[in-house]
């Protein structure tokens, strides 16, 4: 699972709503896989991210800041969590990640109607 | 399919203008396209169209063709005919074979055109073509062509993609893997372009993602079936027992050199998505299960287990086998309305029981505009329709319920028993055949 994906996922356990984000990530196995750098794609993704740690948002003109884009590229697309868990910050419910694939299935009782 | 061309033209800033009424049946269409660049871009994407020519003249007889050519502005011809250039003239006849002598005669008849360049059969700068249309019926070939066209060849389409991406050669396939040609058509209907994010909520073995990745989009997929997503379990290929370690969606993309476009796949229930609120997808392109060869499922509750429902051991969550089709499309349209960017497209197959089908049955949503609806026959009484919709309105929460009040939603309810209707036809036919073989 890439960290870009982690930034787009949220818990949908019943009653949790917007407090289901961000899922707490615990990684037991991580792999760095090189991916061809595409500055246009990375620049497109930045506005879609929810950057919790950066209240003012990215600096103006980030689309042309190659150093910044390369750093974001590495973090978002090259860090691959192979094994671990995602945890709903509100309910504590765990979603396992195995072989790089998160399992987000919840039963009827657990989800919102 | 004219719909593929329409979608591509709007992707490249052109418009579909056709003066012909019968283009649906004829293999030849006359289109107005603003520039040669747009025409070339179109041909770099289409798998339906074979070639495109700049039309210089046409007619229903050789005389009409020659008159038409004499009326074509000379200043438009001259750049391609001047003495420094090289050219060649080809003839294509559709539904008829001509002798070499007949072909030469036709080319010689064009001597009145102001060709000043040199003929080069091997590597000409410009290729001109005479196209003769002898109709579509191989059992009834007319003496004279219905139509003759003459034009300057611009580019060929992407038909060879169908062969190079053929499912026969793909490492990882499933029972219902989409035919390569159709998956490219769907990506074209979705106006997929470079740096888009494309999502398939019923991803299966990932066939639809491959076409989008080929056009430069980054791809996400989800599926409720843990084994399929992980590439585990019994293989779909004949004579193969179990899937190998390299059989999964990521490996399929790697096979075509498209691995960099792989974002992630997740095990997830399309009716209970896990995306944070927002608009992420430029296109959602999918083939939802019809309940025939793959079951329609969603996660269920503990109470449903005794009915003999499938339990997925890895996920420890009971998976119910009864997900009504109409609910599934309701969820899909709502999901698309919520997560597509404005202008983004939803492209999906809708199974229908043909005797009862009416256009009103096509699911609708206040945020999505219906762009096209194309039929593909599956059997004598069933077909599926390729539906393309575009998000034209921002999603507000109340949209989730307003269309429930519409009649449009209710007619599709009948299709909940699509599975029974499909099989009822099959059962009737088998009974009929058995009866006639006994007589």
């Amino acid at each position: 699972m890439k960290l870009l994906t982690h930034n787009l996922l949220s818990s949908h356990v019943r009653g949790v709503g917007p407090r289901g984000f961000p899922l707490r990530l615990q990684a037991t196995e991580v792999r760095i896989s090189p991916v061809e750098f595409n500055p246009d794609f990375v620049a497109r993704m930045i506005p879609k991210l929810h950057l919790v740690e950066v209240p003012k948002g990215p600096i103006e003109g980030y689309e042309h800041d190659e150093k910044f884009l390369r750093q974001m590229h590495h973090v978002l697309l090259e860090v691959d969590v192979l094994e671990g868990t995602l945890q709903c910050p509100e309910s504590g419910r765990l979603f396992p990640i195995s072989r790089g694939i998160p399992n987000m299935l919840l039963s009827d009782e657990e989800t919102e109607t | 399919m004219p719909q593929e061309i329409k979608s591509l033209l709007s992707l490249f800033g052109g418009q579909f203008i056709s003066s012909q009424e019968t283009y649906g049946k004829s293999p030849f269409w006359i289109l107005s396209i603003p520039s040669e660049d747009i025409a070339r871009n179109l041909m770099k994407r289409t798998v339906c169209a074979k070639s495109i020519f700049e039309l210089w003249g046409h007619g229903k007889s050789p005389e009409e063709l020659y008159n038409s050519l004499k009326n074509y502005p000379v200043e438009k011809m001259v750049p391609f005919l001047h003495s420094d250039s090289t050219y060649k003239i080809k003839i294509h006849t559709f539904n008829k074979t001509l002798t070499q002598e007949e072909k030469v005669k036709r080319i010689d008849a064009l001597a009145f055109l102001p060709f000043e360049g040199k003929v080069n059969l091997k590597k000409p700068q410009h290729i001109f073509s005479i196209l003769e249309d002898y109709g579509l019926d191989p059992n009834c070939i007319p003496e004279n062509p219905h139509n003759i066209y003459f034009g300057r060849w611009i580019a060929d389409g992407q038909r060879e993609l169908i062969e190079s991406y053929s499912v026969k050669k793909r490492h990882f396939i499933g029972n219902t893997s989409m035919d390569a040609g159709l998956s490219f058509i769907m990506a074209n209907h979705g106006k997929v372009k470079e740096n888009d994010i494309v999502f398939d909520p019923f991803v299966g073995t990932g066939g639809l993602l491959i076409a989008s990745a080929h056009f430069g989009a980054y791809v996400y997929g989800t599926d409720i079936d843990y084994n399929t997503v992980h590439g585990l379990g019994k293989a779909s290929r004949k004579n193969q027992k179990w899937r190998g370690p390299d059989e999964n969606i990521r490996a399929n993309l790697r096979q075509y050199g498209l691995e960099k476009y792989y974002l992630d796949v997740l095990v997830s229930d399309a009716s209970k998505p896990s995306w944070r609120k927002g608009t992420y997808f430029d296109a959602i392109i999918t083939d939802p299960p019809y309940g025939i060869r793959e079951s329609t499922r969603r996660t269920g509750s503990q109470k449903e287990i005794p009915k003999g429902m499938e339990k997925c051991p890895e996920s420890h969550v009971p998976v119910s086998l009864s997900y009504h089709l109409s609910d599934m499309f309701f969820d899909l349209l709502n999901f698309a309305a919520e997560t597509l960017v404005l202008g983004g497209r939803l492209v999906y197959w809708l199974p229908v029981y043909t005797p009862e089908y009416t256009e009103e049955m096509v699911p609708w949503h206040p945020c999505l505009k219906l762009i096209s609806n194309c039929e593909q026959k599956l059997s004598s009484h069933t077909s599926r329709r390729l539906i393309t919709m575009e998000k034209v309105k921002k999603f507000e929460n109340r949209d989730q319920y307003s269309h429930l009040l519409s009649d449009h939603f209710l007619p599709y309810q009948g299709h909940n028993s699509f599975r029974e209707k499909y099989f009822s036809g099959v059962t009737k036919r088998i009974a009929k055949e058995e009866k006639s073989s006994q007589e």
Side-chain angles (χ1 to χ4, degrees):
Chain A
M1 184 199 69
K2 295 182 199 243
L3 296 183
L4 168 66
T5 311
H6 170 255
N7 197 278
L8 302 179
L9 291 177
S10 173
S11 162
H12 53 294
V13 168
R14 189 198 301 267
V16 145
R19 295 177 309 280
F21 175 86
L23 293 160
R24 273 188 223 122
L25 172 60
Q26 269 236 310
T28 50
E29 192 184 331
V30 173
R31 173 180 70 193
I32 307 293
S33 328
V35 174
E36 193 181 306
F37 175 57
N38 178 348
D40 294 329
F41 178 71
V42 181
R44 262 197 105 214
M45 289 308 108
I46 307 282
K48 294 188 201 267
L49 302 173
H50 193 90
L51 301 170
V52 184
E53 311 292 306
V54 186
K56 281 198 209 140
I59 40 164
E60 238 181 76
Y62 68 85
E63 303 96 342
H64 310 292
D65 185 344
E66 189 177 315
K67 188 164 167 225
F68 170 71
L69 290 177
R70 276 193 185 270
Q71 284 171 333
M72 292 304 279
H73 165 82
H74 178 72
V75 166
L76 295 172
L77 301 176
E78 294 186 325
V79 177
D80 212 349
V81 178
L82 295 179
E83 303 288 329
T85 56
L86 294 164
Q87 185 176 41
C88 174
E90 183 89 350
S91 69
R93 216 287 195 176
L94 289 169
F95 300 97
I97 304 172
S98 70
R99 283 181 275 249
I101 297 172
N103 183 338
M104 309 304 293
L105 294 180
L106 287 173
S107 69
D108 255 2
E109 283 92 13
E110 292 177 284
T111 53
E112 304 191 89
T113 34
Chain B
M1 267 193 193
Q3 297 303 336
E4 193 215 23
I5 307 292
K6 273 190 193 174
S7 292
L8 289 176
L9 278 175
S10 87
L11 176 59
F12 296 117
Q15 231 200 316
F16 187 78
I17 305 171
S18 175
S19 45
Q20 288 166 282
E21 284 141 22
T22 57
Y23 64 73
K25 297 196 194 91
S26 164
F28 299 94
W29 305 349
I30 300 179
L31 299 175
S32 289
I33 297 182
S35 74
E36 190 166 321
D37 268 345
I38 291 182
R40 286 185 192 278
N41 283 334
L42 176 69
M43 297 315 281
K44 280 192 203 138
R45 289 287 295 252
T46 176
V47 287
C48 292
K50 195 151 173 244
S51 314
I52 202 165
F53 306 85
E54 180 185 56
L55 188 67
W56 286 15
H58 70 286
K60 293 193 181 303
S61 69
E63 290 68 40
E64 267 185 43
L65 170 67
Y66 304 147
N67 280 332
S68 171
L69 283 170
K70 286 174 186 152
N71 287 328
Y72 190 75
V74 177
E75 46 305 349
K76 284 196 182 174
M77 289 192 194
V78 161
F80 310 103
L81 304 177
H82 67 74
S83 47
D84 292 338
S85 64
T86 58
Y87 72 97
K88 138 169 140 169
I89 302 183
K90 290 163 82 168
I91 298 194
H92 304 269
T93 51
F94 295 83
N95 200 31
K96 186 165 190 159
T97 328
L98 296 179
T99 64
Q100 194 57 24
E101 205 189 305
E102 285 170 317
K103 288 187 187 178
V104 171
K105 224 169 107 188
R106 282 152 168 81
I107 295 178
D108 286 346
L110 294 175
F112 66 91
L113 288 174
F115 284 100
E116 281 173 41
K118 273 169 74 169
V119 172
N120 182 330
L121 296 177
K122 288 228 166 84
K123 266 190 165 182
Q125 278 171 301
H126 306 294
I127 298 176
F128 299 95
S129 293
I130 303 172
L131 307 164
E132 294 191 353
D133 176 9
Y134 288 87
L136 297 166
D137 188 351
N139 297 319
C140 179
I141 303 174
E143 180 66 34
N144 295 312
H146 299 308
N147 289 292
I148 316 176
Y149 307 89
F150 180 85
R152 176 176 64 92
W153 176 81
I154 295 177
D156 286 337
Q158 302 303 311
R159 288 224 178 149
E160 78 258 5
L161 286 180
I162 301 177
E163 184 50 43
S164 39
Y165 279 91
S166 163
V167 175
K168 291 184 223 149
K169 300 180 200 158
R170 201 168 302 158
H171 293 153
F172 178 47
I173 60 165
N175 287 335
T176 52
S177 284
M178 179 75 45
D179 160 84
L182 287 178
S183 61
F184 282 103
I185 289 173
M186 288 176 82
N188 282 333
H189 276 233
K191 290 172 70 169
V192 171
K193 56 197 182 301
E194 257 178 48
N195 301 330
D196 272 359
I197 295 192
V198 174
F199 175 57
D200 183 352
F202 300 98
V203 72
T205 54
L208 294 181
L209 297 184
I210 296 175
S212 290
H214 175 83
F215 292 137
Y218 289 77
V219 297
Y220 270 120
T222 62
D223 203 285
I224 202 171
D225 189 309
Y226 181 95
N227 287 336
T228 306
V229 176
H230 281 262
L232 302 169
K234 209 159 154 244
S236 286
R237 205 167 248 118
K238 208 176 155 186
N239 297 332
Q240 221 178 315
K241 285 227 161 73
W242 293 92
R243 293 182 162 137
D246 219 22
E247 285 187 57
N248 52 46
I249 297 166
R250 190 172 198 151
N252 271 347
L253 287 170
R254 192 181 305 132
Q255 179 184 355
Y256 302 113
L258 300 170
E259 196 179 352
K260 68 177 177 187
Y261 296 111
Y262 175 90
L263 288 176
D264 268 307
V265 291
L266 302 90
V267 181
S268 171
D269 179 344
S271 72
K272 294 163 186 161
S274 302
W275 306 97
R276 164 168 63 81
K277 192 167 150 75
T279 59
Y280 310 115
F281 306 123
D282 299 284
I284 296 171
I285 301 180
T286 191
D287 184 22
Y290 316 150
I292 305 297
R293 285 185 289 168
E294 311 279 14
S295 49
T296 53
R297 295 177 295 170
R298 63 172 179 177
T299 48
S301 84
Q302 296 285 86
K303 297 172 262 173
E304 287 173 319
I305 293 179
K307 283 186 192 156
M309 300 297 172
E310 218 177 285
K311 196 163 184 234
C312 181
E314 311 276 353
S315 64
H316 307 291
V317 169
V319 175
S320 151
L321 282 174
S322 57
Y323 184 11
H324 287 168
L325 274 180
S326 59
D327 284 347
M328 184 169 73
F329 294 112
F330 168 54
D331 285 339
L332 178 63
L333 263 64
N334 233 24
F335 176 79
E338 193 170 353
T339 59
L340 279 173
V341 304
L342 208 56
R345 287 199 169 184
L346 166 66
V347 184
Y348 73 96
W349 287 101
L350 180 73
V352 299
Y353 180 62
T354 331
E356 287 177 10
Y357 170 75
T358 62
E359 246 180 72
E360 283 76 35
M361 287 192 174
V362 176
W364 75 281
H365 192 286
C367 295
L368 306 172
K369 176 179 162 197
L370 180 67
I371 302 289
S372 66
N373 171 356
C374 310
E375 187 194 34
Q376 184 193 42
K377 276 196 159 30
L378 293 176
S379 72
S380 59
H381 55 288
T382 59
S383 58
R384 59 182 179 178
R385 308 197 72 101
L386 184 61
I387 309 290
T388 305
M389 305 187 89
E390 188 169 299
K391 178 168 171 178
V392 294
K393 187 170 154 266
K394 215 174 127 194
F395 182 86
E396 322 281 351
N397 256 321
R398 54 190 160 84
D399 289 341
Q400 215 166 355
Y401 309 104
S402 64
H403 71 297
L404 271 180
L405 305 168
S406 153
D407 300 331
H408 289 198
F409 177 64
L410 300 172
Y412 197 76
Q413 291 256 8
H415 277 64
N416 280 336
S417 52
F418 180 74
R419 190 190 166 94
E420 284 110 54
K421 291 187 174 152
Y422 178 89
F423 285 117
S424 79
V426 172
T427 329
K428 276 186 196 147
R429 180 170 51 84
I430 293 174
K432 228 172 158 185
E433 282 167 2
E434 281 176 352
K435 193 171 173 216
S436 59
S437 69
Q438 282 160 12
E439 281 159 10

